[in-house]
Amino acid sequence: MKSANTSKNIARNLPQRKMDTTLLRIGGFEPFSTVDYPGRLAAVIFCQGCPLRCGYCHNPDLIPARSAGQLTFEHVLWAIARRKEFLDAVVFSGGEPLAQAALIPAMASMRARGFEVGLHTAGTNPSLFEAALPFLDWVGFDVKAAFDDYRKVTGADVGEKARASLKILVTSGVPYEVRTTVWPGRIGKTEICVMASMLREMGVRRYVLQEARTPDQKAWPGDDMLQDPAFLSDTAAMFDQFEVRRAEIV
């Protein structure tokens, strides 16, 4: 992982127009979460905008680059300051946080306030991701499909960018998990086996399979490989840590 001095140099060399935290477009805010950063009570900032069009997306309102309901960074700072004694961390989620260069000064601002900083990302901007890593304490990295097959899930040919970002993450020293959302009809047992082998070869040690949710937050209908003990056992054997994460039913 880069040193604190390197972090400062990266931030200093970014265009000053992009260093203003007020430029961060925020589509939502969750003041308390126990599930978005392992072992920490975190506030979650949902960044507006995403270059992907995943068919199972449960936050479609965050896909456009701008929204009429955006929050200001000052509002988020005010809300976090009111809860500072209860919070351990701040997580930047989305949408896709790496769609905005203003992410880095926003993370630095939270670090300066004494919070651990987490990031949920699909790694769509490797250069910005590498610049962000010195400001991060944990990363939840979404691998959508085998890197050569991203378009069928995301609608975009960004697999090589995701591969590059994951390579950077694995060697960075920053704690992380890699997770894949299981989308019935597109991501099945064959695809997961290919992906698991690929991830193991890249050095991934913790892998999570997530149940997809429909737009109304229900579990996605379809063949449930996540109920197959043999399949799950074989997948788990490839990693030091493995987890199945069920969709919340509301």
Side-chain angles (χ1 to χ4, degrees):
M1 183 165 33
K2 296 180 177 65
S3 67
N5 287 336
T6 303
S7 302
K8 293 177 182 177
N9 290 335
I10 291 172
R12 188 181 301 117
N13 291 331
L14 287 174
Q16 290 303 306
R17 179 179 61 84
K18 296 180 179 179
M19 290 300 297
D20 185 353
T21 57
T22 63
L23 295 178
L24 188 70
R25 302 184 303 278
I26 301 173
F29 175 69
E30 173 59 51
F32 292 113
S33 171
T34 60
V35 299
D36 287 281
Y37 189 127
R40 301 289 187 270
L41 183 60
V44 185
I45 297 172
F46 293 94
C47 299
Q48 185 72 40
C50 183
L52 308 182
R53 300 295 184 270
C54 302
Y56 55 78
C57 180
H58 62 274
N59 283 327
D61 291 345
L62 294 174
I63 292 177
R66 299 186 182 277
S67 169
Q70 287 178 199
L71 303 174
T72 66
F73 192 72
E74 288 78 6
H75 173 84
V76 169
L77 285 178
W78 172 81
I80 289 175
R82 293 185 62 198
R83 300 163 174 84
K84 183 174 182 178
E85 62 184 296
F86 304 106
L87 293 171
D88 305 306
V90 175
V91 174
F92 291 84
S93 188
E96 172 51 67
L98 292 180
Q100 303 189 53
L103 172 68
I104 290 181
M107 292 192 303
S109 175
M110 294 305 173
R111 266 284 187 87
R113 287 168 168 79
F115 296 107
E116 294 184 33
V117 177
L119 175 69
H120 295 174
T121 183
T124 57
N125 187 333
S127 60
L128 186 60
F129 183 51
E130 186 170 25
L133 278 170
F135 301 94
L136 288 168
D137 299 287
W138 179 81
V139 176
F141 194 97
D142 293 294
V143 173
K144 305 292 186 176
F147 294 126
D148 294 335
D149 210 14
Y150 255 53
R151 176 170 286 278
K152 77 172 187 179
V153 174
T154 70
D157 291 322
V158 295
E160 288 308 309
K161 292 181 178 180
R163 188 201 306 267
S165 291
L166 183 55
K167 285 182 178 179
I168 293 168
L169 177 60
V170 168
T171 59
S172 70
V174 177
Y176 67 92
E177 71 175 25
V178 172
R179 60 269 187 109
T180 296
T181 298
V182 177
W183 186 19
R186 300 292 180 92
I187 298 295
K189 290 180 180 179
T190 300
E191 288 79 9
I192 293 298
C193 288
V194 170
M195 294 167 65
S197 296
M198 171 190 74
L199 295 173
R200 182 182 62 179
E201 290 177 3
M202 293 181 71
V204 171
R205 296 290 178 261
R206 173 170 172 76
Y207 190 38
V208 177
L209 292 180
Q210 300 183 144
E211 193 173 41
R213 285 177 286 178
T214 62
D216 60 356
Q217 303 294 297
K218 304 299 183 182
W220 203 282
D223 294 335
D224 194 351
M225 75 176 78
L226 300 182
Q227 297 282 14
D228 183 335
F231 168 75
L232 296 179
S233 178
D234 289 345
T235 306
M238 302 174 73
F239 301 95
D240 293 344
Q241 296 179 308
F242 175 75
E243 179 184 342
V244 173
R245 193 167 291 156
R246 290 286 174 181
E248 296 180 8
I249 305 300
V250 296

